[in-house]
Amino acid sequence: MRKDHYARFDGIVLFTRKYKENDLLIKIFTKEYGKRMFFVKNIQRQNNSLKEIAFPYMRASFVGTINDQGFSFLNDTGNIQFPKTTIDDIQANAYAAYMTGLTDAAFEDFIQEDKVFDLLWQGLGKIEAGVDPSVVANIFEIQLLPKFGVAPNFLYCAICGQDSGRFDYSMAYAGVLCADHFHMDERRLHWSPRASHFIRMFSQISYDRLGEVNLQVSTKAEIRQALDDLYEEYVGIHLKSRHFISQLETFINPLDDKREKKYDNS
């Protein structure tokens, strides 16, 4: 039986897509109702007030009809937080697209996910405020891993429980190993101490505690490679937005070949 109801809700625009000649589909991650596809008719009309929310990464309050099947519909918006800085800056835009793409891939539509909603809302806010978008995205993708059905242990050694010192990641143990137990896995990932330190930190930190972050390019590359390895092993999705980030990083740092670097922490 089909159900629909009129509601007010907070939402984040994940993406927009043209539909027929003059209409638009807007995928919105709502706090109350999960991810929904909204149909907006005659989006090109001058007097259509919904034109102002037809942008990805837009955060706002909405009023509309929520349908349990098919499209939902929008009537009005308020408290709009327009992502001007994010849209205008190519790096910020790329990382925001990656975060929204991961969100769309991590779980089914219609499922309420309060924690992920708050994480994405705050993360996009940090990018818009000028915080390094690569760091914001790193935190997001680490903390989103459980929604893909995996929960790596970054906090303490999988063998002895040690929670301080040098660590490296072991796929075999699905978590970090302390230096005393590096010998337990010859195929561990050889994370650098810097990458290990920040990944462990990023797995726990909340965005409201995140201030200005300045990481060296080499450290960012080490973190990026480590997380790419984890996502390839555990998740196996290949988003276009992630590929674009790789191209962008190569363009910005053409002499920095991230794919060949492995830290020797033996």
Side-chain angles (χ1 to χ4, degrees):
M1 180 178 178
R2 180 168 178 160
K3 298 180 180 179
D4 56 67
H5 59 280
Y6 197 69
R8 295 178 181 272
F9 51 91
D10 292 331
I12 304 166
V13 176
L14 299 181
F15 63 84
T16 65
R17 181 179 300 153
K18 187 175 181 180
Y19 186 76
K20 297 184 178 179
E21 185 67 23
N22 300 308
D23 307 328
L24 192 71
L25 297 179
I26 304 179
K27 185 73 170 283
I28 299 178
F29 182 19
T30 76
K31 186 176 180 67
E32 295 83 355
Y33 307 102
K35 294 177 296 181
R36 304 273 176 155
M37 189 68 81
F38 290 83
F39 174 79
V40 180
K41 190 173 181 61
N42 296 321
I43 191 67
Q44 298 300 332
R45 284 186 178 175
Q46 286 293 111
N47 62 348
N48 192 331
S49 61
L50 296 177
K51 289 177 67 174
E52 62 183 347
I53 58 92
F55 295 90
Y57 331 130
M58 177 80 72
R59 295 171 293 146
S61 298
F62 298 89
V63 178
T65 302
I66 300 294
N67 291 328
D68 288 343
Q69 299 177 8
F71 298 147
S72 295
F73 300 90
L74 296 173
N75 296 94
D76 200 3
T77 61
N79 300 321
I80 294 173
Q81 298 185 46
F82 188 80
K84 184 180 187 306
T85 299
T86 305
I87 290 174
D88 289 346
D89 184 275
I90 188 170
Q91 283 185 287
N93 200 326
Y95 282 102
Y98 180 49
M99 290 165 62
T100 54
L102 284 176
T103 300
D104 201 30
F107 50 90
E108 297 294 327
D109 292 353
F110 305 101
I111 298 174
Q112 185 178 6
E113 288 285 357
D114 287 0
K115 291 183 178 179
V116 179
F117 180 90
D118 290 340
L119 189 68
L120 182 61
W121 184 285
Q122 294 169 9
L124 292 176
K126 286 293 183 180
I127 291 178
E128 183 64 17
V131 177
D132 188 326
S134 66
V135 172
V136 175
N138 289 159
I139 293 171
F140 185 80
E141 58 190 319
I142 291 171
Q143 297 189 16
L144 191 66
L145 276 171
K147 294 304 173 184
F148 288 105
V150 294
N153 165 36
F154 298 117
L155 302 183
Y156 51 83
C157 177
I159 305 297
C160 69
Q162 175 66 255
D163 62 1
S164 62
R166 286 199 304 148
F167 291 90
D168 194 7
Y169 193 85
S170 167
M171 294 290 191
Y173 290 94
V176 294
L177 302 178
C178 69
D180 290 340
H181 294 102
F182 282 175
H183 66 280
M184 297 292 291
D185 185 2
E186 294 181 354
R187 301 183 65 184
R188 55 194 167 79
L189 298 187
H190 294 277
W191 286 359
S192 73
R194 292 176 302 181
S196 174
H197 168 76
F198 283 109
I199 288 172
R200 295 177 71 237
M201 178 191 298
F202 291 168
S203 72
Q204 302 177 75
I205 195 170
S206 60
Y207 282 130
D208 57 11
R209 293 172 50 207
L210 183 67
E212 188 66 33
V213 183
N214 293 296
L215 298 183
Q216 295 179 359
V217 172
S218 58
T219 301
K220 290 183 182 182
E222 291 165 356
I223 294 170
R224 179 72 270 147
Q225 184 61 60
L227 296 184
D228 282 351
D229 289 343
L230 292 181
Y231 262 78
E232 183 64 31
E233 176 69 18
Y234 291 134
V235 180
I237 62 172
H238 302 92
L239 300 177
K240 290 182 180 179
S241 53
R242 177 68 199 96
H243 179 64
F244 178 73
I245 288 172
S246 296
Q247 293 179 315
L248 188 62
E249 290 173 342
T250 301
F251 176 77
I252 294 173
N253 302 291
L255 301 180
D256 185 19
D257 189 346
K258 302 168 183 60
R259 295 169 298 176
E260 299 299 326
K261 291 184 179 179
K262 282 289 185 178
Y263 183 82
D264 183 7
N265 58 6
S266 57

PDB file of all heavy atoms in Angstrom, residues 31-56:
ATOM      1  N   LYS A  31      17.516  13.905   6.945  1.00  0.00           N
ATOM      2  CA  LYS A  31      17.810  13.416   8.291  1.00  0.00           C
ATOM      3  C   LYS A  31      16.728  12.470   8.789  1.00  0.00           C
ATOM      4  O   LYS A  31      17.013  11.453   9.417  1.00  0.00           O
ATOM      5  CB  LYS A  31      17.950  14.585   9.265  1.00  0.00           C
ATOM      6  CG  LYS A  31      18.398  14.180  10.674  1.00  0.00           C
ATOM      7  CD  LYS A  31      18.596  15.400  11.550  1.00  0.00           C
ATOM      8  CE  LYS A  31      19.035  15.023  12.966  1.00  0.00           C
ATOM      9  NZ  LYS A  31      20.392  14.432  12.993  1.00  0.00           N
ATOM     10  N   GLU A  32      15.493  12.784   8.455  1.00  0.00           N
ATOM     11  CA  GLU A  32      14.367  12.041   9.002  1.00  0.00           C
ATOM     12  C   GLU A  32      13.953  10.823   8.172  1.00  0.00           C
ATOM     13  O   GLU A  32      13.405   9.845   8.718  1.00  0.00           O
ATOM     14  CB  GLU A  32      13.157  12.968   9.156  1.00  0.00           C
ATOM     15  CG  GLU A  32      13.342  14.091  10.163  1.00  0.00           C
ATOM     16  CD  GLU A  32      14.069  15.317   9.618  1.00  0.00           C
ATOM     17  OE1 GLU A  32      14.526  15.256   8.449  1.00  0.00           O
ATOM     18  OE2 GLU A  32      14.182  16.306  10.352  1.00  0.00           O
ATOM     19  N   TYR A  33      14.213  10.858   6.847  1.00  0.00           N
ATOM     20  CA  TYR A  33      13.658   9.824   5.968  1.00  0.00           C
ATOM     21  C   TYR A  33      14.705   9.139   5.086  1.00  0.00           C
ATOM     22  O   TYR A  33      14.345   8.423   4.158  1.00  0.00           O
ATOM     23  CB  TYR A  33      12.555  10.423   5.088  1.00  0.00           C
ATOM     24  CG  TYR A  33      11.487  11.140   5.878  1.00  0.00           C
ATOM     25  CD1 TYR A  33      11.473  12.540   5.964  1.00  0.00           C
ATOM     26  CD2 TYR A  33      10.510  10.433   6.576  1.00  0.00           C
ATOM     27  CE1 TYR A  33      10.501  13.207   6.698  1.00  0.00           C
ATOM     28  CE2 TYR A  33       9.538  11.081   7.320  1.00  0.00           C
ATOM     29  CZ  TYR A  33       9.540  12.465   7.381  1.00  0.00           C
ATOM     30  OH  TYR A  33       8.584  13.122   8.123  1.00  0.00           O
ATOM     31  N   GLY A  34      15.966   9.366   5.353  1.00  0.00           N
ATOM     32  CA  GLY A  34      17.001   8.750   4.539  1.00  0.00           C
ATOM     33  C   GLY A  34      17.148   9.418   3.180  1.00  0.00           C
ATOM     34  O   GLY A  34      16.726  10.557   2.981  1.00  0.00           O
ATOM     35  N   LYS A  35      17.708   8.719   2.245  1.00  0.00           N
ATOM     36  CA  LYS A  35      17.930   9.274   0.903  1.00  0.00           C
ATOM     37  C   LYS A  35      16.662   9.104   0.063  1.00  0.00           C
ATOM     38  O   LYS A  35      16.096   8.009  -0.005  1.00  0.00           O
ATOM     39  CB  LYS A  35      19.108   8.557   0.229  1.00  0.00           C
ATOM     40  CG  LYS A  35      20.447   8.799   0.909  1.00  0.00           C
ATOM     41  CD  LYS A  35      21.568   8.011   0.242  1.00  0.00           C
ATOM     42  CE  LYS A  35      21.345   6.518   0.386  1.00  0.00           C
ATOM     43  NZ  LYS A  35      22.425   5.715  -0.216  1.00  0.00           N
ATOM     44  N   ARG A  36      16.261  10.203  -0.590  1.00  0.00           N
ATOM     45  CA  ARG A  36      15.058  10.190  -1.401  1.00  0.00           C
ATOM     46  C   ARG A  36      15.318  10.934  -2.712  1.00  0.00           C
ATOM     47  O   ARG A  36      16.098  11.874  -2.757  1.00  0.00           O
ATOM     48  CB  ARG A  36      13.900  10.882  -0.677  1.00  0.00           C
ATOM     49  CG  ARG A  36      13.585  10.309   0.700  1.00  0.00           C
ATOM     50  CD  ARG A  36      12.622   9.154   0.610  1.00  0.00           C
ATOM     51  NE  ARG A  36      12.399   8.555   1.925  1.00  0.00           N
ATOM     52  CZ  ARG A  36      11.301   7.886   2.251  1.00  0.00           C
ATOM     53  NH1 ARG A  36      10.321   7.729   1.365  1.00  0.00           N
ATOM     54  NH2 ARG A  36      11.184   7.341   3.449  1.00  0.00           N
ATOM     55  N   MET A  37      14.623  10.510  -3.747  1.00  0.00           N
ATOM     56  CA  MET A  37      14.687  11.214  -5.020  1.00  0.00           C
ATOM     57  C   MET A  37      13.462  12.109  -5.145  1.00  0.00           C
ATOM     58  O   MET A  37      12.324  11.634  -5.050  1.00  0.00           O
ATOM     59  CB  MET A  37      14.739  10.235  -6.193  1.00  0.00           C
ATOM     60  CG  MET A  37      15.018  10.896  -7.538  1.00  0.00           C
ATOM     61  SD  MET A  37      16.700  11.559  -7.647  1.00  0.00           S
ATOM     62  CE  MET A  37      17.610  10.050  -8.055  1.00  0.00           C
ATOM     63  N   PHE A  38      13.713  13.404  -5.353  1.00  0.00           N
ATOM     64  CA  PHE A  38      12.633  14.375  -5.454  1.00  0.00           C
ATOM     65  C   PHE A  38      12.491  14.859  -6.898  1.00  0.00           C
ATOM     66  O   PHE A  38      13.475  15.124  -7.580  1.00  0.00           O
ATOM     67  CB  PHE A  38      12.904  15.569  -4.537  1.00  0.00           C
ATOM     68  CG  PHE A  38      12.797  15.239  -3.071  1.00  0.00           C
ATOM     69  CD1 PHE A  38      13.868  14.674  -2.396  1.00  0.00           C
ATOM     70  CD2 PHE A  38      11.622  15.484  -2.382  1.00  0.00           C
ATOM     71  CE1 PHE A  38      13.768  14.357  -1.047  1.00  0.00           C
ATOM     72  CE2 PHE A  38      11.516  15.175  -1.029  1.00  0.00           C
ATOM     73  CZ  PHE A  38      12.585  14.612  -0.360  1.00  0.00           C
ATOM     74  N   PHE A  39      11.250  14.978  -7.315  1.00  0.00           N
ATOM     75  CA  PHE A  39      10.926  15.444  -8.662  1.00  0.00           C
ATOM     76  C   PHE A  39      10.539  16.919  -8.597  1.00  0.00           C
ATOM     77  O   PHE A  39       9.673  17.306  -7.804  1.00  0.00           O
ATOM     78  CB  PHE A  39       9.776  14.624  -9.242  1.00  0.00           C
ATOM     79  CG  PHE A  39       9.285  15.114 -10.570  1.00  0.00           C
ATOM     80  CD1 PHE A  39       9.979  14.811 -11.732  1.00  0.00           C
ATOM     81  CD2 PHE A  39       8.123  15.882 -10.670  1.00  0.00           C
ATOM     82  CE1 PHE A  39       9.533  15.255 -12.965  1.00  0.00           C
ATOM     83  CE2 PHE A  39       7.663  16.330 -11.896  1.00  0.00           C
ATOM     84  CZ  PHE A  39       8.373  16.015 -13.045  1.00  0.00           C
ATOM     85  N   VAL A  40      11.204  17.737  -9.414  1.00  0.00           N
ATOM     86  CA  VAL A  40      10.888  19.163  -9.487  1.00  0.00           C
ATOM     87  C   VAL A  40      10.489  19.485 -10.918  1.00  0.00           C
ATOM     88  O   VAL A  40      11.292  19.346 -11.844  1.00  0.00           O
ATOM     89  CB  VAL A  40      12.088  20.036  -9.061  1.00  0.00           C
ATOM     90  CG1 VAL A  40      11.710  21.511  -9.158  1.00  0.00           C
ATOM     91  CG2 VAL A  40      12.527  19.686  -7.648  1.00  0.00           C
ATOM     92  N   LYS A  41       9.264  19.931 -11.086  1.00  0.00           N
ATOM     93  CA  LYS A  41       8.726  20.205 -12.426  1.00  0.00           C
ATOM     94  C   LYS A  41       9.044  21.634 -12.848  1.00  0.00           C
ATOM     95  O   LYS A  41       9.051  22.551 -12.027  1.00  0.00           O
ATOM     96  CB  LYS A  41       7.208  19.970 -12.424  1.00  0.00           C
ATOM     97  CG  LYS A  41       6.565  19.992 -13.809  1.00  0.00           C
ATOM     98  CD  LYS A  41       5.106  19.591 -13.714  1.00  0.00           C
ATOM     99  CE  LYS A  41       4.447  19.582 -15.091  1.00  0.00           C
ATOM    100  NZ  LYS A  41       5.094  18.605 -16.009  1.00  0.00           N
ATOM    101  N   ASN A  42       9.326  21.801 -14.135  1.00  0.00           N
ATOM    102  CA  ASN A  42       9.553  23.130 -14.730  1.00  0.00           C
ATOM    103  C   ASN A  42      10.610  23.927 -13.958  1.00  0.00           C
ATOM    104  O   ASN A  42      10.397  25.089 -13.600  1.00  0.00           O
ATOM    105  CB  ASN A  42       8.239  23.912 -14.795  1.00  0.00           C
ATOM    106  CG  ASN A  42       7.226  23.268 -15.716  1.00  0.00           C
ATOM    107  OD1 ASN A  42       7.571  22.750 -16.786  1.00  0.00           O
ATOM    108  ND2 ASN A  42       5.959  23.272 -15.301  1.00  0.00           N
ATOM    109  N   ILE A  43      11.755  23.285 -13.723  1.00  0.00           N
ATOM    110  CA  ILE A  43      12.814  23.917 -12.930  1.00  0.00           C
ATOM    111  C   ILE A  43      13.348  25.180 -13.603  1.00  0.00           C
ATOM    112  O   ILE A  43      13.874  26.080 -12.932  1.00  0.00           O
ATOM    113  CB  ILE A  43      13.966  22.914 -12.681  1.00  0.00           C
ATOM    114  CG1 ILE A  43      14.937  23.452 -11.640  1.00  0.00           C
ATOM    115  CG2 ILE A  43      14.684  22.581 -13.986  1.00  0.00           C
ATOM    116  CD1 ILE A  43      14.388  23.585 -10.263  1.00  0.00           C
ATOM    117  N   GLN A  44      13.201  25.303 -14.944  1.00  0.00           N
ATOM    118  CA  GLN A  44      13.770  26.436 -15.665  1.00  0.00           C
ATOM    119  C   GLN A  44      12.904  27.697 -15.618  1.00  0.00           C
ATOM    120  O   GLN A  44      13.347  28.769 -16.034  1.00  0.00           O
ATOM    121  CB  GLN A  44      14.021  26.046 -17.131  1.00  0.00           C
ATOM    122  CG  GLN A  44      15.015  24.907 -17.307  1.00  0.00           C
ATOM    123  CD  GLN A  44      16.382  25.225 -16.743  1.00  0.00           C
ATOM    124  OE1 GLN A  44      16.777  26.387 -16.681  1.00  0.00           O
ATOM    125  NE2 GLN A  44      17.106  24.212 -16.319  1.00  0.00           N
ATOM    126  N   ARG A  45      11.699  27.576 -15.118  1.00  0.00           N
ATOM    127  CA  ARG A  45      10.836  28.754 -15.070  1.00  0.00           C
ATOM    128  C   ARG A  45      11.412  29.814 -14.134  1.00  0.00           C
ATOM    129  O   ARG A  45      11.920  29.513 -13.068  1.00  0.00           O
ATOM    130  CB  ARG A  45       9.442  28.357 -14.601  1.00  0.00           C
ATOM    131  CG  ARG A  45       8.601  27.666 -15.660  1.00  0.00           C
ATOM    132  CD  ARG A  45       7.184  27.431 -15.158  1.00  0.00           C
ATOM    133  NE  ARG A  45       6.342  26.810 -16.171  1.00  0.00           N
ATOM    134  CZ  ARG A  45       5.094  26.418 -15.973  1.00  0.00           C
ATOM    135  NH1 ARG A  45       4.549  26.588 -14.774  1.00  0.00           N
ATOM    136  NH2 ARG A  45       4.402  25.861 -16.939  1.00  0.00           N
ATOM    137  N   GLN A  46      11.304  31.049 -14.555  1.00  0.00           N
ATOM    138  CA  GLN A  46      11.869  32.159 -13.791  1.00  0.00           C
ATOM    139  C   GLN A  46      11.292  32.241 -12.383  1.00  0.00           C
ATOM    140  O   GLN A  46      11.986  32.593 -11.439  1.00  0.00           O
ATOM    141  CB  GLN A  46      11.605  33.482 -14.526  1.00  0.00           C
ATOM    142  CG  GLN A  46      12.481  33.678 -15.758  1.00  0.00           C
ATOM    143  CD  GLN A  46      13.954  33.841 -15.383  1.00  0.00           C
ATOM    144  OE1 GLN A  46      14.777  32.973 -15.650  1.00  0.00           O
ATOM    145  NE2 GLN A  46      14.268  34.949 -14.752  1.00  0.00           N
ATOM    146  N   ASN A  47      10.032  31.916 -12.237  1.00  0.00           N
ATOM    147  CA  ASN A  47       9.381  32.057 -10.941  1.00  0.00           C
ATOM    148  C   ASN A  47       9.424  30.795 -10.088  1.00  0.00           C
ATOM    149  O   ASN A  47       8.738  30.716  -9.069  1.00  0.00           O
ATOM    150  CB  ASN A  47       7.925  32.496 -11.130  1.00  0.00           C
ATOM    151  CG  ASN A  47       7.109  31.469 -11.914  1.00  0.00           C
ATOM    152  OD1 ASN A  47       7.662  30.541 -12.495  1.00  0.00           O
ATOM    153  ND2 ASN A  47       5.793  31.659 -11.933  1.00  0.00           N
ATOM    154  N   ASN A  48      10.208  29.822 -10.517  1.00  0.00           N
ATOM    155  CA  ASN A  48      10.309  28.593  -9.725  1.00  0.00           C
ATOM    156  C   ASN A  48      11.291  28.812  -8.574  1.00  0.00           C
ATOM    157  O   ASN A  48      12.499  28.899  -8.773  1.00  0.00           O
ATOM    158  CB  ASN A  48      10.782  27.424 -10.600  1.00  0.00           C
ATOM    159  CG  ASN A  48      10.614  26.073  -9.902  1.00  0.00           C
ATOM    160  OD1 ASN A  48      10.663  25.986  -8.677  1.00  0.00           O
ATOM    161  ND2 ASN A  48      10.419  25.026 -10.687  1.00  0.00           N
ATOM    162  N   SER A  49      10.766  28.897  -7.363  1.00  0.00           N
ATOM    163  CA  SER A  49      11.595  29.200  -6.191  1.00  0.00           C
ATOM    164  C   SER A  49      12.543  28.071  -5.830  1.00  0.00           C
ATOM    165  O   SER A  49      13.487  28.274  -5.054  1.00  0.00           O
ATOM    166  CB  SER A  49      10.693  29.496  -4.983  1.00  0.00           C
ATOM    167  OG  SER A  49       9.890  28.372  -4.656  1.00  0.00           O
ATOM    168  N   LEU A  50      12.331  26.888  -6.391  1.00  0.00           N
ATOM    169  CA  LEU A  50      13.181  25.745  -6.060  1.00  0.00           C
ATOM    170  C   LEU A  50      14.481  25.734  -6.860  1.00  0.00           C
ATOM    171  O   LEU A  50      15.353  24.898  -6.611  1.00  0.00           O
ATOM    172  CB  LEU A  50      12.418  24.437  -6.287  1.00  0.00           C
ATOM    173  CG  LEU A  50      11.198  24.218  -5.385  1.00  0.00           C
ATOM    174  CD1 LEU A  50      10.481  22.933  -5.754  1.00  0.00           C
ATOM    175  CD2 LEU A  50      11.619  24.173  -3.907  1.00  0.00           C
ATOM    176  N   LYS A  51      14.626  26.662  -7.815  1.00  0.00           N
ATOM    177  CA  LYS A  51      15.864  26.733  -8.592  1.00  0.00           C
ATOM    178  C   LYS A  51      17.073  26.952  -7.691  1.00  0.00           C
ATOM    179  O   LYS A  51      18.172  26.476  -7.975  1.00  0.00           O
ATOM    180  CB  LYS A  51      15.786  27.859  -9.619  1.00  0.00           C
ATOM    181  CG  LYS A  51      14.843  27.592 -10.772  1.00  0.00           C
ATOM    182  CD  LYS A  51      14.756  28.779 -11.706  1.00  0.00           C
ATOM    183  CE  LYS A  51      16.063  29.007 -12.430  1.00  0.00           C
ATOM    184  NZ  LYS A  51      15.959  30.080 -13.457  1.00  0.00           N
ATOM    185  N   GLU A  52      16.893  27.655  -6.592  1.00  0.00           N
ATOM    186  CA  GLU A  52      18.013  28.010  -5.736  1.00  0.00           C
ATOM    187  C   GLU A  52      18.582  26.835  -4.955  1.00  0.00           C
ATOM    188  O   GLU A  52      19.687  26.931  -4.406  1.00  0.00           O
ATOM    189  CB  GLU A  52      17.606  29.108  -4.753  1.00  0.00           C
ATOM    190  CG  GLU A  52      16.490  28.712  -3.800  1.00  0.00           C
ATOM    191  CD  GLU A  52      16.069  29.870  -2.902  1.00  0.00           C
ATOM    192  OE1 GLU A  52      16.812  30.870  -2.857  1.00  0.00           O
ATOM    193  OE2 GLU A  52      15.013  29.769  -2.265  1.00  0.00           O
ATOM    194  N   ILE A  53      17.867  25.712  -4.915  1.00  0.00           N
ATOM    195  CA  ILE A  53      18.402  24.554  -4.175  1.00  0.00           C
ATOM    196  C   ILE A  53      18.877  23.452  -5.120  1.00  0.00           C
ATOM    197  O   ILE A  53      19.233  22.367  -4.686  1.00  0.00           O
ATOM    198  CB  ILE A  53      17.373  23.999  -3.166  1.00  0.00           C
ATOM    199  CG1 ILE A  53      16.067  23.570  -3.859  1.00  0.00           C
ATOM    200  CG2 ILE A  53      17.105  25.014  -2.095  1.00  0.00           C
ATOM    201  CD1 ILE A  53      15.987  22.159  -4.278  1.00  0.00           C
ATOM    202  N   ALA A  54      18.898  23.737  -6.414  1.00  0.00           N
ATOM    203  CA  ALA A  54      19.294  22.724  -7.389  1.00  0.00           C
ATOM    204  C   ALA A  54      20.814  22.669  -7.552  1.00  0.00           C
ATOM    205  O   ALA A  54      21.346  22.704  -8.659  1.00  0.00           O
ATOM    206  CB  ALA A  54      18.625  22.996  -8.729  1.00  0.00           C
ATOM    207  N   PHE A  55      21.518  22.577  -6.430  1.00  0.00           N
ATOM    208  CA  PHE A  55      22.973  22.518  -6.429  1.00  0.00           C
ATOM    209  C   PHE A  55      23.430  21.421  -5.469  1.00  0.00           C
ATOM    210  O   PHE A  55      22.889  21.293  -4.361  1.00  0.00           O
ATOM    211  CB  PHE A  55      23.575  23.857  -5.983  1.00  0.00           C
ATOM    212  CG  PHE A  55      23.299  24.999  -6.911  1.00  0.00           C
ATOM    213  CD1 PHE A  55      22.167  25.785  -6.751  1.00  0.00           C
ATOM    214  CD2 PHE A  55      24.165  25.280  -7.956  1.00  0.00           C
ATOM    215  CE1 PHE A  55      21.904  26.844  -7.614  1.00  0.00           C
ATOM    216  CE2 PHE A  55      23.914  26.342  -8.817  1.00  0.00           C
ATOM    217  CZ  PHE A  55      22.779  27.121  -8.650  1.00  0.00           C
ATOM    218  N   PRO A  56      24.419  20.621  -5.869  1.00  0.00           N
ATOM    219  CA  PRO A  56      24.946  19.617  -4.933  1.00  0.00           C
ATOM    220  C   PRO A  56      25.596  20.275  -3.722  1.00  0.00           C
ATOM    221  O   PRO A  56      26.057  21.417  -3.801  1.00  0.00           O
ATOM    222  CB  PRO A  56      25.979  18.860  -5.778  1.00  0.00           C
ATOM    223  CG  PRO A  56      26.364  19.834  -6.854  1.00  0.00           C
ATOM    224  CD  PRO A  56      25.136  20.629  -7.148  1.00  0.00           C
TER     225      PRO A  56
END
